[in-house]
């Protein structure tokens, strides 16, 4: 599903992450790592937000450099701590992202209902709590017809009911063929969310640590 | 006392000057680029002898004070840590708040000190008294407002019925995100930049018929206008990199992205286009005057792609504009056709954008 070759990312000539080779098959993959290990840098690079050296190919077809539009159409990203312009409303962001990600109208409505943001989505983002902001970012992350969704700490700041909604949505999407790269410091019950492999970011690289049979 | 001072000083004073660097650069360009020290002394001398003229100074200082208070109040309302000020004994709290806001008002106090110095040399007792009284009032003006915010934390913000009504019915297109940001978060920078740039445009249009000038005068005016916009171009770069990072994840072609930026920047310099087209000299054709404006647009696009080519902080970015401006000045003076300059700058900016956009990033050196 996602092929990584000769990946490296540096800040000011200081190497942060080097991944000579990694192959993520379709499924749900859990990326672990301590704070500051480079998980968010990895997610942002895969999402096309940050420049890097190396190759990223989705579904053996879409190279992030050669097919930047096709690649981005199929890779969505939910930030750990989303930052959006405070004067915009969630509705304005959703409309904009939905249009570019070619999301069907009914999907927009469905996600708004699912995450329960209808009541506040037309008020400025500057008035949102961290949980409301996180719900908005999750709606944005599920818009369109992605093949891969990157969710960086998707469960933080969410109440118990919404946490259940997120886990259930990931399960549903997985059954429909969508793959996930997740990072979370919270323990996830394997019976609720079957994880296909566990990876760890440490010592400036990404390694596979567990792959259930 | 040091412990009570350090954190608010970093949160309020440093943030104020950091976030308003663009504003101060425009003020310095306007106030000290056009006017020499002798002219400042002449204006101050006139002000201390004329109460109405002095009132103009006081109004400017009051506007700055209101701007600084507004910034401070917004920080106190949104930074929970600053609510800890309520735990400080009242007298000590008032002293700290007074000294903090005195630092925000430093530009006004310094310039008022200069006018006072001129007044003392002129022995204008009344004007000197008015200046001292006004600055004294301005310096204590923030205190009651900050105290009110501290005593009433997390006030529900009234954003207006019209705003709420519009938000329910309208949606901002992406091309207007940055313009809304400017109006909401950088109004002073926007106002001063556009005032300075439009004054330059009006100035060269008024100067043109007075002598045997040619289109180079208008091109030089546009070059100066483009230099005035450097702060706004940096704001665009910063806004998209820090608040709209998700833009880079959206499936937009590089051509569409380029056209988006051309559109946003064209919108920002549209007042200059209106001024040029409606007031152009008879000897200069409409296509030529549009060429002058397109040259300005190309210069602004070049400024933007400079930031994409290599991340700079605001100061370094401003500093790096000096030699390109000198180069453009020479190209204009060597009578290169304005449309040639416009097309070349737009093509160069487009090519750099295509090659650099996906390799660019706002580098803070952070690792998460």
């Amino acid at each position: 599903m996602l092929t990584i070759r000769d990946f490296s990312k540096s800040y000011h000539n200081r190497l942060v992450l080097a991944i000579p080779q990694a192959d993520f098959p379709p499924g749900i993959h859990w990326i672990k790592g301590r704070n500051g290990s480079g998980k968010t840098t990895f997610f942002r690079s895969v999402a096309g937000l940050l420049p890097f050296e190396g190759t990223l190919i989705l579904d053996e077809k879409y190279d992030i450099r050669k097919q930047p539009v096709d690649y981005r159409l199929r890779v969505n990203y939910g930030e750990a701590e989303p930052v959006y312009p405070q004067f915009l409303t969630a509705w304005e962001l959703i409309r904009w992202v939905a249009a570019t990600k070619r999301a069907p109208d009914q999907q927009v409505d469905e996600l708004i209902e699912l995450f329960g943001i209808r009541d506040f989505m037309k008020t400025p983002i500057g008035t949102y709590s961290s949980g409301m902001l996180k719900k908005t970012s999750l709606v944005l992350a599920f818009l369109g017809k992605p093949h891969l969704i990157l969710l960086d700490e998707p469960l933080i700041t969410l109440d118990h009911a919404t946490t259940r909604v997120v886990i259930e949505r990931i399960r549903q999407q997985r059954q429909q063929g969508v793959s996930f790269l997740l990072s979370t410091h919270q323990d996830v019950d394997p019976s609720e969310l079957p994880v296909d492999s566990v990876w760890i970011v440490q010592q400036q690289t990404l390694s596979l640590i567990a792959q259930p049979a | 006392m040091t412990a009570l001072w350090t954190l608010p000083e970093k949160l309020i004073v440093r943030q104020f000057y950091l976030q308003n660097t663009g504003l101060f650069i425009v003020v310095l360009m306007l106030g000290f680029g056009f006017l020499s020290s002798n002219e400042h002394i002449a204006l101050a001398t006139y002000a201390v002898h004329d109460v109405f003229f002095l009132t103009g100074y006081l109004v400017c200082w009051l506007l700055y004070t209101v701007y600084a208070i507004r910034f401070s109040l917004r920080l106190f309302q949104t930074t929970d840590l600053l609510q800890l000020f309520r735990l400080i004994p009242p007298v000590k709290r008032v002293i700290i708040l007074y000294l903090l806001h005195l630092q925000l008002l430093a530009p006004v106090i310094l310039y008022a000190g200069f006018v006072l110095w001129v007044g003392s040399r002129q022995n204008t007792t009344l004007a000197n008294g008015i200046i001292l009284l006004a600055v004294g009032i301005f310096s204590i003006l923030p205190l009651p407002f900050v105290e009110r915010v501290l005593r009433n934390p997390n006030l529900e913000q009234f954003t207006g019925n019209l705003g709420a009504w519009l938000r329910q019915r309208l949606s901002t297109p992406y091309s207007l995100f940055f313009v809304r940001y400017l109006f909401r978060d950088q109004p002073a920078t926007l106002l001063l930049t556009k005032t300075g740039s439009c004054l330059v445009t009006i100035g060269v249009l008024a100067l043109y018929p007075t002598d045997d000038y040619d289109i180079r005068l208008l091109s030089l005016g546009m070059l100066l206008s483009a230099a005035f916009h450097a702060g706004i171009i940096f704001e665009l770069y910063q806004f998209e990199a820090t608040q709209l990072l998700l833009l880079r994840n959206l499936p937009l072609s590089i051509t569409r992205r380029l056209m988006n930026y051309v559109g946003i920047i064209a919108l920002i310099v549209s007042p200059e286009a209106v001024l040029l087209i409606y007031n152009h000299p008879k000897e200069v054709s409409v296509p030529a005057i549009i060429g002058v404006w397109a040259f300005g647009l190309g210069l602004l696009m070049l400024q933007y792609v400079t930031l994409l080519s290599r991340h700079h902080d605001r100061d370094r970015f401003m500093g790096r504009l000096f030699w390109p401006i000198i180069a453009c000045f020479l190209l204009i003076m060597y009578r290169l056709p304005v449309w040639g300059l416009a097309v070349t700058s737009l093509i160069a900016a487009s090519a750099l954008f295509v090659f650099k956009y996906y390799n660019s990033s706002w580098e803070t050196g952070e690792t998460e």
Side-chain angles (χ1 to χ4, degrees):
Chain A
M1 177 268 301
L2 182 68
T3 308
I4 301 175
R5 294 287 180 274
D6 303 320
F7 175 97
S8 71
K9 175 66 192 167
S10 304
Y11 288 117
H12 302 294
N13 298 321
R14 183 173 61 86
L15 183 69
V16 175
L17 204 55
I19 309 168
Q21 179 176 342
D23 294 286
F24 290 92
I28 299 175
H29 307 280
W30 188 358
I31 313 289
K32 289 185 169 183
R34 60 174 175 75
N35 294 336
S37 58
K39 293 192 300 295
T40 298
T41 296
F42 174 66
F43 277 115
R44 286 184 171 183
S45 302
V46 176
L49 271 55
L50 288 179
F52 58 90
E53 298 293 319
T55 309
L56 285 179
I57 299 173
L58 182 73
D59 296 340
E60 299 177 353
K61 270 194 285 189
Y62 307 110
D63 186 310
I64 192 171
R65 297 187 203 283
K66 293 173 185 164
Q67 291 93 17
V69 177
D70 290 325
Y71 178 92
R72 284 169 172 81
L73 192 60
R74 291 163 178 82
V75 176
N76 286 6
Y77 177 44
E79 288 257 26
E81 293 169 10
V83 179
Y84 305 123
Q86 302 221 326
F87 54 88
L88 290 179
T89 63
W91 174 236
E92 287 173 320
L93 275 180
I94 290 167
R95 273 187 56 138
W96 175 49
V97 174
T100 58
K101 292 275 184 182
R102 301 176 204 169
D105 285 345
Q106 68 269 25
Q107 186 195 45
V108 174
D109 267 344
E110 181 208 347
L111 287 169
I112 287 168
E113 283 304 321
L114 185 69
F115 288 101
I117 69 165
R118 193 174 295 283
D119 289 344
F120 61 82
M121 70 177 185
K122 289 190 177 177
T123 56
I125 286 171
T127 62
Y128 292 6
S129 69
S130 54
M132 291 153 84
L133 200 58
K134 191 71 183 176
K135 287 179 184 179
T136 304
S137 81
L138 286 166
V139 170
L140 297 175
F142 282 103
L143 282 171
K145 295 173 184 168
H147 292 195
L148 169 64
I149 301 180
L150 312 158
L151 295 177
D152 194 357
E153 296 291 351
L155 306 179
I156 53 168
T157 73
L158 294 178
D159 55 58
H160 182 68
T162 314
T163 302
R164 304 281 317 153
V165 167
V166 175
I167 290 173
E168 188 51 36
R169 182 73 185 183
I170 293 172
R171 280 170 58 99
Q172 280 177 6
Q173 291 279 287
R174 177 66 203 108
Q175 285 165 3
Q176 292 167 16
V178 180
S179 295
F180 288 86
L181 297 189
L182 306 172
S183 85
T184 177
H185 291 292
Q186 285 148 298
D187 285 329
V188 180
D189 186 346
S191 64
E192 290 182 336
L193 190 65
V195 174
D196 294 288
S197 68
V198 182
W199 300 68
I200 187 160
V201 180
Q202 64 180 5
Q203 296 173 338
Q204 298 170 333
T205 193
L206 177 74
S207 322
L208 181 66
I209 56 172
Q211 194 159 28
Chain B
M1 188 75 174
T2 312
L4 295 175
W5 175 260
T6 311
L7 188 72
E9 198 266 345
K10 280 186 177 173
L11 282 174
I12 301 171
V13 181
R14 287 194 200 179
Q15 283 306 310
F16 178 73
Y17 286 105
L18 275 174
Q19 290 183 27
N20 290 290
T21 312
L23 166 70
F24 287 113
I25 286 172
V26 175
V27 170
L28 287 173
M29 284 172 76
L30 280 173
F32 298 94
F34 287 133
L35 300 175
S36 66
S37 56
N38 284 339
E39 285 162 331
H40 277 282
I41 292 171
L43 287 171
T45 305
Y46 185 57
V48 293
H49 287 288
D50 185 286
V51 176
F52 287 110
F53 198 73
L54 183 62
T55 308
Y57 272 95
L58 297 181
V59 168
C60 290
W61 297 342
L62 177 64
L63 286 174
Y64 176 87
T65 307
V66 170
Y67 181 74
I69 292 173
R70 192 169 159 266
F71 178 90
S72 169
L73 292 182
R74 202 172 67 192
L75 273 184
F76 273 95
Q77 280 163 343
T78 54
T79 313
D80 293 343
L81 204 59
L82 289 175
Q83 288 295 327
L84 294 176
F85 255 101
R86 284 212 68 187
L87 303 177
I88 302 173
V91 176
K92 195 182 268 187
R93 179 169 77 222
V94 167
I95 292 171
I96 293 174
L97 287 174
Y98 180 77
L99 293 175
L100 281 172
H101 287 87
L102 217 51
Q103 291 188 64
L104 300 189
L105 301 181
V108 160
I109 292 166
L110 289 172
Y111 202 83
F114 159 72
V115 180
L116 198 62
W117 170 74
V118 173
S120 65
R121 290 180 65 180
Q122 300 285 324
N123 294 319
T124 50
T125 316
L126 176 65
N128 294 354
I130 291 172
I131 293 167
L132 279 172
L133 183 67
V135 172
I137 292 171
F138 293 162
S139 69
I140 57 168
L141 202 55
L143 298 178
F145 292 102
V146 175
E147 269 297 314
R148 182 172 171 271
V149 168
L150 287 174
R151 286 169 191 275
N152 301 280
N154 295 316
L155 275 178
E156 189 179 342
Q157 288 189 354
F158 178 68
T159 53
N161 290 328
L162 180 63
W165 187 84
L166 288 173
R167 272 194 296 277
Q168 294 296 319
R169 285 156 184 82
L170 300 175
S171 181
T172 312
Y174 160 69
S175 52
L176 295 181
F177 283 4
F178 178 63
V179 175
R180 276 192 69 185
Y181 165 77
L182 283 178
F183 274 100
R184 183 186 179 273
D185 288 354
Q186 302 289 337
T189 303
L190 177 66
L191 179 72
L192 284 169
T193 301
K194 295 316 294 179
T195 304
S197 173
C198 288
L199 281 176
V200 167
T201 307
I202 292 166
V204 292
L205 287 169
L207 190 63
Y208 193 94
T210 62
D211 206 339
D212 191 22
Y213 291 116
D214 57 33
I215 199 165
R216 287 179 300 169
L217 178 69
L218 302 178
S219 301
L220 288 174
M222 187 46 74
L223 177 63
L224 197 55
S225 287
F228 269 127
H229 282 84
I232 285 187
I233 294 298
F234 189 87
E235 287 295 339
L236 172 61
Y237 170 63
Q238 180 169 262
F239 169 71
E240 298 224 324
T242 57
Q243 297 188 39
L244 216 58
L245 198 55
L246 80 114
L247 172 66
R248 287 177 178 252
N249 176 248
L250 298 184
L252 302 170
S253 69
I254 195 73
T255 312
R256 172 94 181 269
R257 290 179 192 271
L258 173 65
M259 294 318 293
N260 281 341
Y261 288 112
V262 171
I264 291 168
I265 293 173
L267 187 63
I268 291 167
V269 286
S270 56
E272 285 79 354
V274 174
L275 284 174
L276 285 169
I277 289 170
Y278 282 96
N279 303 294
H280 69 91
K282 287 174 187 165
E283 301 81 16
V284 180
S285 67
V286 172
I289 208 78
I290 292 173
V292 170
W293 181 76
F295 174 51
L297 181 65
L299 290 175
L300 294 185
M301 281 301 295
L302 278 172
Q303 287 182 23
Y304 186 70
V305 294
T306 300
L307 286 163
L308 294 181
S309 302
R310 190 172 177 184
H311 173 80
H312 293 296
D313 60 28
R314 190 190 301 268
D315 292 344
R316 282 182 67 85
F317 170 61
M318 297 289 186
R320 280 182 170 262
L321 291 180
F322 179 74
W323 289 111
I325 288 173
I326 297 297
C328 286
F329 174 80
L330 293 174
L331 291 173
I332 293 168
M333 295 313 287
Y334 276 111
R335 294 179 185 274
L336 265 71
V338 69
W339 262 109
L341 291 172
V343 170
T344 306
S345 56
L346 283 168
I347 288 175
S350 304
L352 275 170
F353 183 88
V354 170
F355 285 114
K356 296 292 181 183
Y357 180 78
Y358 286 121
N359 291 320
S360 62
S361 68
W362 176 272
E363 289 189 15
T364 54
E366 66 194 18
T367 314
E368 288 166 20

